[in-house]
Structure formats: C-alpha cells, structure tokens
Amino acid sequence: MKMNNRLISTGATLFLALGLSACEQPGVAENTGKKIDQQVENAGQQIDNAGEKMKDSVDKMADKLEEKSDQAKMALEDTEITAKVKAAIFAEPSLKSLQIAVVTVNGDVTLSGSVASASLGDLAKGLAEAVDDVKHVNNHIVIK
C-alpha cells in the first residue's frame, strides 16, 4: 500500500509540475487571442487608411465642384455684362443701327465692328465702361 501511495504521490507531483510548466508557455487559446487582437488592430488601421483616402477624395471633389461653380458663375456674370453692354449700345439712337459685337471674358469687354466716326467708337466704349462689373474695355471698333 505504501508503494501505491508513493506512486500516487509521485504521479500527482509530476502532474502538478507539468501543469505549472505549461502555464509558462502560451496556450492555443492565448495564441488565438493574440492573433485575433492583431487582426482587429490591422483591420482598424485599414479602415482608418480607407477613411483618410475617402476624405481626401471627397475634399478633391469638393474643390473641383467649387472651381466649376466659380467658372459657371463667372460665365453667367460675363453673359449678363454682355447683355447690359449690348442693351446700352442699342438704346443709344446714334449707335442703334450699327453692328457692334460685344464679347466679355472675366469682366473684360471687347468691342468690335465698325462705326462712321471716332466719336461713335468712343461713345460705344464709354457706354460699355459705364456698365456695372466691367473691369476693362478693349475697343477694337474701326472707323469706316
């Protein structure tokens, strides 16, 4: 019986020693947990990177839309200026029947065509300069 007790005691001691030594080595569950944590961290970084790329793309798109909006606004303003200059020239009886072309780009008005005298060319230029938002008038009107 002493032998049995001794054998049981030795077996239990051996079992405990193995169990304690196993605690020092990472187990399958601990390794799996670490891998999951790393994958979650990597996924989080990928999501952050994707979010930054999306933000950059949205910012670029917003800048382009703003630029296009500004261009459209300028085109509308130029069209309005052209219409006002043409109306002013047409409203002047001495210029009413003359063919004077008006082109506006970024607020700069260009007059072209022909008139009978230098004073009529100057009058057309003066009328164009009096229109709101006209920055500069290029007078390319020739005297017949």
Side-chain angles (χ1 to χ4, degrees), residues 76-125:
L76 286 173
E77 288 174 358
D78 286 345
T79 301
E80 184 179 354
I81 290 170
T82 297
K84 288 179 180 179
V85 170
K86 285 182 177 183
I89 290 172
F90 188 73
E92 177 58 41
S94 58
L95 299 174
K96 187 174 188 175
S97 63
L98 300 176
Q99 295 291 327
I100 298 175
V102 180
V103 176
T104 307
V105 178
N106 296 328
D108 291 339
V109 174
T110 301
L111 302 175
S112 59
S114 59
V115 293
S117 68
S119 62
L120 289 176
D122 292 339
L123 177 60
K125 181 180 180 186

Side-chain angles (χ1 to χ4, degrees), residues 31-45:
N31 283 338
T32 303
K34 285 181 181 180
K35 286 180 182 178
I36 290 172
D37 289 346
Q38 286 175 338
Q39 289 178 350
V40 167
E41 185 176 331
N42 289 342
Q45 289 173 349

Side-chain angles (χ1 to χ4, degrees), residues 13 22 43 47 58 64 87 108 114 119 125 128-129 136 138 140-141:
T13 303
I47 290 171
V58 168
K64 285 186 179 191
D108 291 339
S114 59
S119 62
K125 181 180 180 186
E129 288 173 334
H136 179 72
N138 300 302
H140 294 282
I141 296 176

